[in-house]
Amino acid sequence: MSGRAEGLRVLVVEDESATREELATLLDAAGEVRAVRAAESGEAAVRLLGTDAFDAVFLDVSMPGLSGVEVGRVLGMLSEPPAIVFVTASEAHRDAARDMGAVDYLLKPVRDERLAEAVARVRAARRPEPVADELAVVRIDTGRHIFFVRRDDVYFVEAHGDYVRLHTGAGVHLIRQALSHLETVWGPAGFVRVHRGYLVAIRWVRDLRAGSSSGLLAHTPAGDVPVSRRHARALKERLLDAVREQG
């Protein structure tokens, strides 16, 4: 579908034509994706995999004939298997997806922000030097002295014009950086967008609370972070994934 010179090569496997076309279109519009092909069944996917190479397969679970889980097992036998992202309407196969090393598990209907996260995970999994290492340590220059803040010590990030505030246990630090750039380079390290003006580190979210305006607040040791309705579902999924990974 796309002719970009750089980026990921992606295969979409989905038996429902409308869902297949929508997912392929969204992926084709992603800046990190070079080319997208689509297969209407597990058998068609296996044939394509025998003649072409892909960086990632976005794989429906429930399909006539070969299921997504069965296709995933075939992928695992390749010498250089692509990253697997399962796309399904059910939680039932999450354990099987984890066992075969799937990089993400998306629930239908797929939201734009969750698809972007999945692409970021694929990109990180395909690179020996993941983008999460960029800005792993942030240099703070106050004019009087210079010190450094570790990304892992940041609880959440707040947009402030052309700057962002890094909220840590030691205080708040202002740096000139775009929130969107931090979302890209820190996404693989567990930072997720929860509001148009906030990123939060999943590892530091203690619980979710009801806010005064009927919205959600993500509670961290550095304070509460507003969660917009648009991002609430994706945040809950990421928190659930984090708990399962710890177990």
Side-chain angles (χ1 to χ4, degrees), residues 11-139:
L11 174 62
V12 174
V13 187
E14 166 66 61
D15 64 303
E16 296 181 1
S17 60
T19 304
R20 182 173 64 250
E21 291 173 8
E22 180 182 13
L23 189 56
T25 299
L26 290 173
L27 284 166
D28 189 56
E32 299 89 346
V33 175
R34 172 178 35 154
V36 182
R37 296 193 67 180
E40 72 281 0
S41 68
E43 290 83 357
V46 171
R47 288 194 294 271
L48 276 174
L49 289 162
T51 59
D52 205 349
F54 297 93
D55 296 300
V57 178
F58 282 70
L59 189 56
D60 185 23
V61 174
S62 300
M63 296 183 291
L66 283 178
S67 71
V69 173
E70 290 169 324
V71 174
R73 294 194 181 106
V74 172
L75 293 175
M77 293 186 287
L78 298 177
S79 58
E80 295 184 9
I84 300 174
V85 176
F86 279 104
V87 184
T88 178
S90 170
E91 292 272 8
H93 301 282
R94 193 179 284 271
D95 289 341
R98 185 182 299 109
D99 290 343
M100 64 179 62
V103 301
D104 211 339
Y105 192 94
L106 303 181
L107 292 177
K108 298 178 182 178
V110 179
R111 294 175 177 264
D112 291 352
E113 60 269 19
R114 279 295 286 123
L115 188 64
E117 289 176 19
V119 171
R121 289 187 177 191
V122 168
R123 183 182 56 192
R126 304 301 292 179
R127 288 184 177 179
E129 57 290 339
V131 297
D133 288 339
E134 185 177 345
L135 295 178
V137 177
V138 178
R139 181 177 182 267

Side-chain angles (χ1 to χ4, degrees), residues 159-213:
H160 185 69
D162 293 332
Y163 294 76
V164 293
R165 291 188 175 111
L166 306 179
H167 292 258
T168 73
V172 181
H173 309 288
L174 189 68
I175 63 169
R176 188 176 181 86
Q177 189 63 255
L179 189 72
S180 58
H181 181 63
L182 283 184
E183 180 182 12
T184 298
V185 299
W186 283 7
F191 282 78
V192 299
R193 176 86 68 156
V194 294
H195 187 276
R196 65 183 178 182
Y198 290 88
L199 305 177
V200 70
I202 288 293
R203 66 191 297 263
W204 289 115
V205 176
R206 298 295 178 250
D207 55 57
L208 298 179
R209 303 176 178 181
S212 57
S213 60

